[in-house]
Amino acid sequence: MKITMVMVCSVNGRITKGNNPDVYLWSSKEDKDFFLPLVKKSKLIVMGSKTYEAVRKNLDLSQNKLRIVLTKNPKKYSVQAIPGKLEFTNQTPASLVNRLRKLGHKSILLLGGGVINALFLKAKLVDELQLVVEPLIFGQGQLLVAEANFNTSLMLISHKVLNRQGTLLLKYKTEK
């Protein structure tokens, strides 16, 4: 199963500006033009509860798409769950991936957040990182990977300048 992590961040690795989780307030049009088609074509998306809370008002729960939210407390969201469309689980990344593989899924779009990103990277489950880097620096905000004692190596697959301001699309392969 191929797992692709997709994120937007500032030059200094912030995925939120301060405490505001709405990346659309600071990310470029080019990021949206890259990101939204990926989400639209993906049949399986995994995210953390903070990401879910940030996007839930705009979440399209159309047919043939499964959104899975990793949370420490799935019961908190039980009334929001929609079988086959929106699931909440506290499974480990490895057990979740094994379950989804057995169900016949071939790929996951991982739209984590710092905690979820760290969990999947530490478990060596991520195959590719697609990262849009905006030419901004935030003094505060959530980090791309919320784990202080964590290291991994990446291999650049491709890079592209998306606009005149210098927004970059970087694609990396992870080393497992």
Side-chain angles (χ1 to χ4, degrees):
M1 173 180 291
K2 182 176 181 179
I3 301 176
T4 304
M5 179 190 300
V6 180
M7 298 298 299
V8 61
C9 72
S10 66
V11 169
N12 59 329
R14 304 288 181 180
I15 59 173
T16 65
K17 188 174 183 180
N19 291 327
N20 191 335
D22 189 352
V23 298
Y24 295 121
L25 294 177
W26 56 268
S27 62
S28 63
K29 174 191 175 303
E30 291 79 10
D31 170 59
K32 293 171 196 69
D33 292 346
F34 165 73
F35 179 73
L36 294 175
L38 283 178
V39 169
K40 189 171 184 124
K41 76 176 185 178
S42 180
K43 301 286 185 204
L44 177 57
I45 295 174
V46 173
M47 67 187 85
S49 58
K50 289 179 186 174
T51 302
Y52 170 72
E53 292 293 345
V55 302
R56 76 182 201 179
K57 292 177 185 171
N58 299 321
L59 204 59
D60 175 21
L61 297 174
S62 59
Q63 293 293 335
N64 301 320
K65 281 185 190 278
L66 177 57
R67 307 293 200 280
I68 298 178
V69 179
L70 290 178
T71 175
K72 292 178 185 173
N73 188 5
K75 289 181 182 178
K76 173 182 173 182
Y77 299 97
S78 61
V79 297
Q80 297 173 42
I82 303 169
K85 292 183 182 184
L86 182 60
E87 246 181 60
F88 298 87
T89 183
N90 60 0
Q91 287 182 279
T92 66
S95 64
L96 175 63
V97 168
N98 285 335
R99 177 173 66 91
L100 295 170
R101 186 179 290 122
K102 288 176 184 174
L103 292 172
H105 291 282
K106 304 273 190 254
S107 63
I108 294 174
L109 193 62
L110 181 63
L111 309 178
V115 173
I116 300 303
N117 292 345
L119 290 172
F120 273 78
L121 286 166
K122 281 178 81 170
K124 300 198 177 293
L125 295 170
V126 177
D127 298 293
E128 188 174 308
L129 168 60
Q130 297 185 12
L131 183 64
V132 173
V133 180
E134 296 287 2
L136 302 166
I137 295 175
F138 307 141
Q140 294 184 347
Q142 299 298 315
L143 292 170
L144 180 69
V145 178
E147 177 72 40
N149 298 319
F150 172 73
N151 296 294
T152 193
S153 296
L154 305 171
M155 171 85 57
L156 185 66
I157 299 170
S158 67
H159 65 282
K160 182 178 179 181
V161 178
L162 297 181
N163 61 29
R164 293 174 66 171
Q165 289 77 26
T167 299
L168 301 174
L169 170 58
L170 307 172
K171 294 185 181 181
Y172 293 97
K173 177 182 174 189
T174 60
E175 296 191 5
K176 292 186 176 186

